Amino acid sequence: MQRVRRVVILGGGTAGWMTAAALGATLGQTVSISLLESDAIGTVGVGEATIPTIHWFNQLIGLDEADFVRETKASFKLGIEFVDWTRPGHRYFHPFGRYGVDLGAVPFHQRWLRARADGHDRPLSAYSLAAQLAEAGGFARPSNDPGSILSTLGYAYHFDAGLYARYLRSLAEARGVTRYEGRLEQVEHDANSGVITALTTERGERLSGDLFIDCSGFRALLIGDEMGSPFEDWSHWLPCDRAVAVPCARVAETTPFTRSTLRPAGWQWRIPLQHRTGNGYVYASRFVSDDEAAATLLANLDGEALAEPRMLRFQAGFRREAWRGNVVAIGLSSGFLEPLESTSIHLIQSAIAKLITLFPDADCDPALARQFNALFGRDMDGIRDFLILHYHATTGHHHPLWQHTRTMALPDTLIEKEAHYARSGRVMLSSDELFREASWLAVLNGQGIVAAGPAPIADTLDGAANRRQLDQIEAVIARAVPTLPRHDDAIAALLGESGARASVHG
Ligand SMILES: Cc1cc2nc3c(=O)[nH]c(=O)nc-3n(C[C@H](O)[C@H](O)[C@H](O)COP(=O)(O)OP(=O)(O)OC[C@H]3O[C@@H](n4cnc5c(N)ncnc54)[C@H](O)[C@@H]3O)c2cc1C
């Protein structure tokens, strides 16, 4: 069987350089990797919040955490705070990590539901160390000791998207990836099979390959324009189609979480970094003008704006055939779901993991593409439902967007999940869904979907003993929080005192 010997990546945004770094680290000995990007076209330039799966990718490419945090001016992220979502004036936190601790056969959240049914009404967040630590402005890494409350933590990062792509580029080039600069001019196909054989640049360079990775962003130049893979539109469920983004001066003390605040026609993100704070208003253009969205964003910054606001357009949805022929789309070219739960960079690394596992021979067996596409489709369907949950379970917002999302028809899969939870507190998940029980619990409860009572397994508990155990866990968490470092101190400790001062205040 003839092997793939030459991989050509089109695009040098986060997707292109993540793919290049990962293929360089894994297949770089046997496969030549070229990347074409255009400085004149540039990148989307946003995408700064991640979820804990990022650790898998960082390990894959052998990344040193201190180097990475220094080079990308990163901060730590313990979860997302949702402000005004459920109803005006309400807040909740979606923490990384687990609620409570494991105590035998009855899942922790069923213990919590049983205690509530017994009249012990404490919020679920009281049992999350990540949520409590975030609220106090602290940070700690998870412990490997299962007996420690620190083992229940999870974390991810916020980073500067431009610096991240630059950092990955240096790693990829050190592993032999060759970069070409310039616009794509022409795409050559095999006359018989239709597969792509070469890309030609505006400077006349010809990049021939066996396998092409389309990381050209929303343009989807190879998977869309050349291979004709259709786009499945989800904007009837996720109507936001634009964003305006602006960085502002950092605050005195950075917070270890992303904040998402509901706005009349969408929501606003706040992402604290070492050197600045990233902000953006994601909105539905049929309910607000661009000027009004920009004015709302600028009126709600917690420091001086550091640049002109930048407008971005998008459409929710994806390509069920992200792999067609010898083209694999990774990143925005494969589809987009708004950044409400910071899932795009995860989807890039998840596609990279699939590609490495299913890496084809030169004939590009269509069965591999079918498997890739089926797994990718399941990823997207699951994340879509999780995002829609935030939009429809709200009260007290009278703006047209929120009236629409509250009353719109939902996917059957989401209706079923909500119904099961409301009846018995069960979170019905398939084994490969990205968001696990703790995430669904955080958002279901946060958005006001309450379980009528616990599942039958919780009847086996002794009510008084159960309440005592919950009180003990809450007390352990409350005692631990003040003993842990402040978020900025944790960054400083990782970077080393002098580096930290230069980086945090420079
Ligand atoms: C408003 C918004 C907020 C977001 N926030 C988050 C977040 O918080 N967390 C998260 O995980 N994700 C987020 N994302 C998604 C994230 O930004 C992207 O997934 C990520 O940046 C990857 O983009 P990309 O590399 O696919 O595309 P791009 O960054 O657009 O890169 C495309 C590349 O293709 C090249 N190219 C295009 N056309 C040509 C051509 N003709 N010739 C040569 N080269 C060409 C460009 O030069 C560029 O290098 C957000 C997205 C948006 C729109």
Side-chain angles (χ1 to χ4, degrees):
M1 187 58 70
Q2 215 183 329
R3 300 291 196 203
V4 165
R5 295 285 176 219
R6 299 158 306 167
V7 174
V8 178
I9 300 169
L10 174 61
T14 300
W17 284 114
M18 283 178 81
T19 306
L23 293 184
T26 49
L27 290 148
Q29 300 285 336
T30 52
V31 175
S32 84
I33 303 159
S34 314
L35 184 148
L36 170 63
E37 68 173 322
S38 160
D39 281 343
I41 293 174
T43 67
V44 71
V46 281
E48 310 205 311
T50 59
I51 57 175
T53 53
I54 187 83
H55 300 298
W56 171 86
F57 181 77
N58 289 355
Q59 271 167 21
L60 178 80
I61 61 169
L63 191 146
D64 175 78
E65 188 177 48
D67 276 356
F68 160 67
V69 167
R70 182 179 300 108
E71 295 297 325
T72 66
K73 302 222 181 272
S75 65
F76 296 116
K77 174 178 173 186
L78 290 168
I80 306 176
E81 182 187 42
F82 290 93
V83 179
D84 293 341
W85 274 82
T86 318
R87 57 182 183 278
H90 180 265
R91 287 170 188 255
Y92 73 93
F93 197 76
H94 169 190
F96 297 144
R98 285 179 292 135
Y99 287 103
V101 296
D102 292 336
L103 294 167
V106 183
F108 179 81
H109 77 279
Q110 292 292 349
R111 293 173 179 272
W112 171 69
L113 287 171
R114 168 65 196 272
R116 279 178 66 147
D118 291 343
H120 190 64
D121 198 10
R122 298 290 301 138
L124 189 54
S125 61
Y127 308 103
S128 161
L129 177 57
Q132 297 305 315
L133 190 54
E135 194 180 339
F139 177 76
R141 279 187 199 68
S143 153
N144 290 328
D145 172 5
S148 162
I149 192 69
L150 294 180
S151 68
T152 64
L153 285 171
Y155 77 103
Y157 308 96
H158 306 114
F159 52 65
D160 181 312
L163 296 178
Y164 185 56
R166 201 188 301 165
Y167 181 57
L168 290 177
R169 175 179 162 185
S170 65
L171 293 182
E173 288 185 320
R175 291 196 173 121
V177 173
T178 311
R179 174 183 183 269
Y180 293 84
E181 163 61 36
R183 267 172 208 270
L184 173 70
E185 184 79 21
Q186 205 194 329
V187 180
E188 293 173 28
H189 291 258
D190 180 87
N192 295 320
S193 64
V195 300
I196 295 180
T197 51
L199 308 183
T200 310
T201 76
E202 60 187 341
R203 299 173 179 192
E205 284 155 321
R206 187 170 175 278
L207 281 65
S208 56
D210 309 309
L211 181 68
F212 291 81
I213 315 294
D214 186 351
C215 297
S216 63
F218 288 128
R219 292 176 181 81
L221 296 174
L222 303 184
I223 196 70
D225 293 2
E226 298 294 326
M227 304 305 284
S229 172
F231 186 85
E232 189 171 311
D233 180 3
W234 282 345
S235 50
H236 51 294
W237 282 316
L238 295 166
C240 287
D241 58 354
R242 290 191 194 174
V244 51
V246 73
C248 74
R250 61 161 273 163
V251 287
E253 187 173 15
T254 61
T255 45
F257 54 86
T258 304
R259 178 175 296 138
S260 164
T261 306
L262 187 135
R263 298 280 176 234
W267 58 278
Q268 180 172 337
W269 80 75
R270 175 187 178 277
I271 296 178
L273 302 176
Q274 291 176 37
H275 57 316
R276 61 166 170 80
T277 303
N279 309 277
Y281 181 4
V282 173
Y283 59 96
S285 61
R286 67 183 148 120
F287 298 120
V288 70
S289 71
D290 293 344
D291 287 348
E292 208 179 326
T296 301
L297 177 66
L298 291 170
N300 288 286
L301 303 179
D302 50 23
E304 175 204 351
L306 299 177
E308 286 300 308
R310 231 158 52 81
M311 312 298 297
L312 299 125
R313 291 167 184 241
F314 52 81
Q315 187 180 3
F318 82 119
R319 293 173 209 276
R320 280 210 185 263
E321 269 189 274
W323 180 340
R324 193 178 252 201
N326 66 341
V327 175
V328 182
I330 296 183
L332 298 173
S333 57
S334 65
F336 182 61
L337 289 171
E338 57 168 82
L340 185 56
E341 286 282 353
S342 325
T343 41
S344 288
I345 291 169
H346 163 81
L347 285 164
I348 294 170
Q349 65 182 59
S350 171
I352 291 169
K354 293 182 198 37
L355 176 61
I356 291 171
T357 308
L358 300 169
F359 199 79
D361 285 308
D363 66 347
C364 279
D365 181 350
L368 299 172
R370 279 198 297 278
Q371 173 73 351
F372 181 98
N373 293 332
L375 294 172
F376 179 55
R378 289 214 286 275
D379 280 349
M380 293 296 281
D381 291 340
I383 295 171
R384 175 202 68 197
D385 284 3
F386 192 54
L387 298 189
I388 295 172
L389 168 63
H390 300 63
Y391 272 93
H392 91 91
T394 67
T395 55
H397 300 297
H398 303 296
H399 307 286
L401 168 71
W402 297 102
Q403 283 177 11
H404 163 73
T405 55
R406 194 159 49 238
T407 52
M408 68 188 175
L410 301 178
D412 291 343
T413 39
L414 178 58
I415 293 174
E416 204 177 305
K417 268 206 181 77
E418 284 188 17
H420 272 291
Y421 183 71
R423 181 175 160 177
S424 61
R426 278 198 192 87
V427 183
M428 304 286 270
L429 296 174
S430 57
S431 58
D432 52 3
E433 278 185 62
L434 169 64
F435 288 105
R436 309 307 306 167
E437 207 163 63
S439 294
W440 279 91
L441 286 170
V443 179
L444 283 163
N445 283 292
Q447 297 282 150
I449 297 177
V450 177
I457 186 84
D459 297 350
T460 61
L461 297 169
D462 173 79
N466 182 46
R467 284 198 300 276
R468 266 198 313 279
Q469 281 175 326
L470 290 190
D471 286 345
Q472 277 166 9
I473 295 169
E474 186 175 353
V476 167
I477 290 172
R479 274 201 305 275
V481 167
T483 68
L484 297 169
R486 311 288 312 156
H487 177 230
D488 284 338
D489 292 341
I491 296 173
L494 178 68
L495 299 185
E497 280 303 316
S498 56
R501 233 170 257 126
S503 193
V504 173
H505 302 295

